[in-house]
Amino acid sequence: MEGLARVLVASNRGPISYTLAGGELQSRRGGGGVVSGLSAIESDGDSLWVCAALGEGDREAVRRGVGEPGSRMLAIDQDVFHAAYNDIANSVLWFVHHMLYQTPLEPVFDEEFRGRWASYEAYNAAFADALAESAAPGAAVLVQDYHLVLVPAMLRERRPDLRIGHFSHTPWAPPDYFRLLPDDIAAAVLEGILGADRAAFLTRRWADSFAACCVDVLGAELSADGHAVTHRGRTTRLGVHGLGADADFLRERAGRDDVLERMAALRAETGPGRKLVVRVDRTELSKNIVRGLLAYRRLLQERPGWRSRVVHVAFAYPSRQDLAVYRDYTAEVSRVAAEINEEFGTPNWQPVLLKVDDDFARSLAAYRLADVALVNPIRDGMNLVAKEMPVVSDNGVALVLSREAGACAELGEDAIVVNPYDVSQTAEALNTALTLPDAERADRTKRLAAAATALPPTRWFLDQLAALE
């Protein structure tokens, strides 16, 4: 049918964002795997990306009827959006999958929570309605992430002819932790995703956790190979697609003049000849930045020979600052960094160089200069920083990597793997990384870069599309 899309993507954040400047709308195209993947097929004008209007600029664009070809932005009621996005997606589902709750005190699932959950249902229904209206008969729909777990089942009811996939970019909680959710909500989350023909994950570990939850919570049946779940007569296949780094983009971007300028500035700030332990993260609770700083402090305490010879370059870009717990965490990162500088700093040496203003060119500069990459999340669906640093490293980088990062499944053999809660072990790993012989570090970096780029973003997306055929 004319005007209907054959391939559709649904996600909270879309490929385009708008800002208002002096009454004029300005658009900016984002990056990432889904953007790269969809661009590979959108030239035929037969694809559509459905997303939410996130800010005032986006909402004004919807009011004015402004939009990019191949994109449909939904202006969902602001109170509904806030409750769905902040109060459920980011404060409940994210916390469950990353196992972040302080369980003696939280969560508390009461009537207020039920009201917020109703908003989450309404938010998902708005997406299901838009997809149902916009999809050609038999179209393929790829639904993204924890914001939209109810969409596959809702869309299945509206349009049983569609081929539907869901992709989870987060970890998946094991059954005992997932069952913190009220029983009916836990079932709704699982049954929502099981409305898809195919549910895909970043690692086999997360796919297996999802399957275990389906068996435990729903009494679903698991296929003999563990690659399909059957519930109420419908079978959903499970897939794994380990999103890789975009090597061509990263290497080209890392060679531009603005990156070279920031390399010179970073080297001037850290001092000549010093080794650099680099981390680049959002101040997201799961990223474990504070324990990384504590491990670095322990390194300086236990191995004083490193004093004045190493700098911890910590780029911690504020995230979700509309949530109090994130503001508190960001403040704690700054406090601990300042403590370390106060305890060990000298007139000629600042042990921690903390930057909180987001600067992609500066991040790439740090990637190129890093001797050690510190990636120690409590829990992470993948972690692309662990994959990106070896790709653009100038002289080879030793990767200290949490075993709880999805990337560990692919990179663990050539990384120095740590328990993210064990500060003493992480300190020892930093020492090992700093003392790794140059030849071994170079060899490891080559193997890390090869593994990190095995499934580049475009192929990652197209593989999922092909698997729906």
Side-chain angles (χ1 to χ4, degrees):
M1 293 172 65
E2 190 176 348
L4 298 180
R6 300 289 309 166
V7 177
L8 300 93
V9 167
S11 65
N12 179 69
R13 183 180 298 277
I16 304 291
S17 61
Y18 294 91
T19 54
L20 267 173
E24 294 295 313
L25 281 171
Q26 297 176 345
S27 66
R28 179 174 175 271
R29 191 167 181 85
V34 184
V35 173
S36 300
L38 195 61
S39 66
I41 60 161
E42 65 185 2
S43 58
D44 58 8
D46 210 13
S47 62
L48 179 70
W49 192 320
V50 178
C51 59
L54 300 185
E56 185 52 38
D58 288 352
R59 287 188 287 273
E60 181 61 24
V62 175
R63 281 193 288 269
R64 296 184 188 182
V66 173
E68 300 286 327
S71 179
R72 179 176 175 183
M73 197 172 273
L74 307 179
I76 295 165
D77 177 86
Q78 287 190 54
D79 290 339
V80 170
F81 177 83
H82 178 86
Y85 179 72
N86 286 319
D87 297 333
I88 297 296
N90 288 342
S91 296
V92 175
L93 298 180
W94 180 274
F95 271 58
V96 167
H97 288 316
H98 291 84
M99 306 199 310
L100 293 174
Y101 281 121
Q102 298 182 58
T103 52
L105 299 173
E106 56 186 13
V108 176
F109 296 126
D110 53 14
E111 287 308 304
E112 189 175 5
F113 163 77
R114 292 286 170 175
R116 292 166 174 170
W117 180 257
S119 291
Y120 183 80
E121 291 175 319
Y123 167 82
N124 275 249
F127 272 84
D129 288 340
L131 292 164
E133 291 167 8
S134 305
V141 183
L142 293 173
V143 181
Q144 305 295 312
D145 226 1
Y146 62 103
H147 313 93
L148 301 176
V149 296
L150 305 182
V151 166
M154 289 177 168
L155 185 56
R156 176 72 55 203
E157 289 180 6
R158 290 158 171 77
R159 292 287 304 274
D161 60 301
L162 301 178
R163 293 169 293 131
I164 304 169
H166 184 277
F167 194 90
S168 294
H169 295 261
T170 64
W172 196 274
D176 284 353
Y177 205 91
F178 186 75
R179 298 200 78 156
L180 287 177
L181 291 170
D183 292 351
D184 60 320
I185 303 297
V189 168
L190 298 171
E191 289 176 338
I193 291 178
L194 291 178
D197 297 289
R198 194 165 182 274
F201 301 84
L202 287 163
T203 72
R204 175 54 52 189
R205 178 183 177 185
W206 310 140
D208 289 347
S209 289
F210 172 79
C213 287
C214 290
V215 172
D216 192 67
V217 175
L218 302 177
E221 294 179 13
L222 189 60
S223 64
D225 63 4
H227 293 180
V229 173
T230 300
H231 178 56
R232 293 181 176 171
R234 280 203 79 258
T235 296
T236 299
R237 292 173 290 129
L238 305 182
V240 175
H241 303 273
L243 175 62
D246 188 341
D248 292 341
F249 164 74
L250 286 168
R251 288 172 178 146
E252 186 278 325
R253 183 66 184 86
R256 293 188 199 171
D257 288 346
D258 59 345
V259 175
L260 299 178
E261 289 166 9
R262 284 159 176 79
M263 287 175 71
L266 267 178
R267 188 48 83 190
E269 275 193 275
T270 55
R274 290 183 173 129
K275 288 188 177 288
L276 303 185
V277 175
V278 172
R279 82 171 307 134
V280 178
D281 278 310
R282 292 174 295 112
T283 54
E284 213 296 312
L285 306 181
S286 64
K287 298 301 183 183
N288 208 24
I289 300 168
V290 171
R291 285 193 190 88
L293 287 165
L294 296 178
Y296 177 67
R297 178 163 70 185
R298 190 168 183 86
L299 173 77
L300 299 180
Q301 288 169 337
E302 295 193 335
R303 298 184 181 272
W306 283 117
R307 296 178 193 175
S308 292
R309 294 177 53 216
V310 64
V311 174
H312 184 13
V313 176
F315 294 164
Y317 302 139
S319 172
R320 299 179 183 169
Q321 295 300 289
D322 45 351
L323 298 176
V325 66
Y326 282 83
R327 293 195 297 272
D328 293 345
Y329 186 74
T330 302
E332 181 67 3
V333 168
S334 295
R335 188 191 68 78
V336 175
E339 259 187 14
I340 295 169
N341 285 334
E342 179 68 25
E343 183 177 356
F344 296 103
T346 69
N348 300 314
W349 172 58
Q350 182 177 318
V352 179
L353 181 62
L354 176 67
K355 302 284 189 183
V356 296
D357 55 313
D358 198 343
D359 184 333
F360 183 56
R362 189 180 59 204
S363 296
L364 290 173
Y367 282 7
R368 289 186 59 179
L369 292 171
D371 297 286
V372 176
L374 176 56
V375 182
N376 67 319
I378 293 167
R379 197 166 165 85
D380 212 332
M382 177 55 72
N383 195 293
L384 282 178
V385 170
K387 291 187 167 186
E388 290 168 351
M389 279 214 218
V391 172
V392 299
S393 169
D394 279 9
N395 299 307
V397 62
L399 175 61
V400 175
L401 181 62
S402 165
R403 67 189 185 196
E404 298 302 316
C408 194
E410 299 164 74
L411 307 183
E413 197 171 316
D414 288 297
I416 301 160
V417 178
V418 296
N419 172 347
Y421 297 94
D422 190 337
V423 168
S424 298
Q425 182 195 47
T426 305
E428 190 56 39
L430 289 174
N431 182 67
T432 300
L434 286 164
T435 54
L436 210 60
D438 290 346
E440 182 181 351
R441 189 174 65 176
D443 286 344
R444 287 192 189 213
T445 303
K446 285 179 188 172
R447 293 192 295 268
L448 287 168
T453 55
L455 192 63
T458 299
R459 213 183 99 213
W460 168 84
F461 179 87
L462 294 177
D463 282 0
Q464 293 174 66
L465 197 56
L468 277 180
E469 294 296 335

